[in-house]
Amino acid sequence: MIRSPFSLEGKTILITGASSGIGRAAAVECSRAGAARCVLVARDTIKLNETASMLDEHTQTIICSCDLTDTKSVEAMVAELPKIDGVLCNAGTNRMKLLPFISESEIERVFSVNCFSPMILMKLLIKKKKLNNPSSVVFMASISGHSNVSYGNSVYGASKAALSAYMKYAALELAPKGVRCNAIYPGRVETPLISSSPVDEEMVKMDKEKYPLKRYGDPKEIAWAVVYLLSDATSWMTGSDLVIDGGRSLT
């Protein structure tokens, strides 16, 4: 039997923000793609266990309740990790406010979760030699930091743009170690992060009309791209931007 290059068979995958949304969908799809082990990382243990219950029986799960903005907690988590074949840096947050009203603490929080914590996690994974050669890292960026500029989203967009730039440097520096780094740029996806935003239903309806496909994405549609980038099918792909936005960047 010929093994599919799109399979994750035998691989150990670490997923941050795995308690809901794209992170949860990615864990499920990685399991369906044959991942031997999924390391699920988030702050909410109950929700992580819910995610674990959705995975196929063949996939071993490791639950890591960790605040990724707390470096000491991340250090302790990394020290206990097995060797990793793939990483999805997905944990994210947002504060939608116009420029004059965003506070310094909110800026620090958004950047800490969206940008600084993946940088610290990567630093520790590398220093502790937790990434196999070869391995793949996927950063969850956003079209908000790429091409789609909108009112009230400046800090989120800036944090994702910074993460995108970091991905390029990581791809260059880690290539000799066999570590590939790529980023996904989703448009709006139906996740708790979107549903908790201060945008009313009529505004959401109008926003969806700006998408050529006339809808927001489903988390699994992003998760399938995560599996693709973690698989051997992309073994000669690093430093790349993968936009998945229902055509929003065209308008």
Side-chain angles (χ1 to χ4, degrees):
M1 182 177 179
I2 299 175
R3 179 177 175 272
S4 168
F6 300 94
S7 170
L8 299 182
E9 183 180 352
K11 295 185 184 292
T12 297
I13 309 296
L14 185 152
I15 301 166
T16 72
S19 58
S20 64
I22 293 172
R24 172 173 285 179
V28 170
E29 296 305 325
C30 284
S31 175
R32 289 176 177 172
R37 212 161 15 182
C38 283
V39 182
L40 308 178
V41 183
R43 289 177 297 172
D44 192 324
T45 305
I46 293 175
K47 289 185 177 180
L48 285 176
N49 281 312
E50 289 174 359
T51 300
S53 71
M54 300 175 183
L55 307 191
D56 288 359
E57 290 183 1
H58 68 79
T59 302
Q60 178 189 354
T61 58
I62 300 174
I63 303 294
C64 295
S65 178
C66 178
D67 181 352
L68 292 169
T69 65
D70 183 340
T71 300
K72 288 187 177 180
S73 295
V74 179
E75 287 177 341
M77 177 189 74
V78 170
E80 298 299 320
L81 290 177
K83 295 284 278 188
I84 302 294
D85 301 294
V87 179
L88 170 61
C89 291
N90 169 75
T93 190
N94 194 9
R95 295 290 186 277
M96 291 192 71
K97 288 187 178 180
L98 294 174
L99 295 177
F101 306 111
I102 191 81
S103 69
E104 184 175 347
S105 63
E106 288 171 324
I107 293 171
E108 290 176 351
R109 176 62 181 170
V110 171
F111 268 82
S112 181
V113 175
N114 293 355
C115 184
F116 302 153
S117 65
M119 294 170 70
I120 296 300
L121 176 61
M122 285 298 296
K123 171 188 174 179
L124 293 170
L125 289 173
I126 296 160
K127 288 190 71 173
K128 299 298 181 183
K129 302 185 187 304
K130 295 294 183 175
L131 296 177
N132 278 325
N133 181 355
S135 58
S136 173
V137 181
V138 179
F139 295 94
M140 195 58 63
S142 170
I143 61 169
S144 295
H146 188 256
S147 60
N148 182 242
V149 178
S150 59
Y151 287 96
N153 217 23
S154 61
V155 177
Y156 178 79
S159 70
K160 290 296 188 177
L163 181 65
S164 302
Y166 173 78
M167 178 276 290
K168 302 284 188 184
Y169 288 92
L172 181 64
E173 291 189 23
L174 298 178
K177 299 179 182 293
V179 180
R180 299 183 294 107
C181 298
N182 296 285
I184 294 175
Y185 297 75
R188 288 186 177 268
V189 178
E190 300 283 4
T191 69
L193 188 63
I194 293 296
S195 61
S196 63
S197 70
V199 181
D200 63 39
E201 189 173 334
E202 187 60 30
M203 291 179 68
V204 168
K205 185 177 179 181
M206 291 173 59
D207 189 51
K208 287 181 179 179
E209 286 299 311
K210 297 177 183 177
Y211 284 72
L213 294 181
K214 304 302 180 186
R215 66 177 178 88
Y216 290 162
D218 186 284
K220 68 176 178 290
E221 293 173 313
I222 310 302
W224 292 332
V226 171
V227 172
Y228 170 62
L229 290 175
L230 292 176
S231 76
D232 295 342
T234 52
S235 59
W236 203 52
M237 184 175 175
T238 195
S240 296
D241 306 329
L242 182 56
V243 177
I244 309 175
D245 67 352
R248 181 66 179 87
S249 298
L250 302 173
T251 62

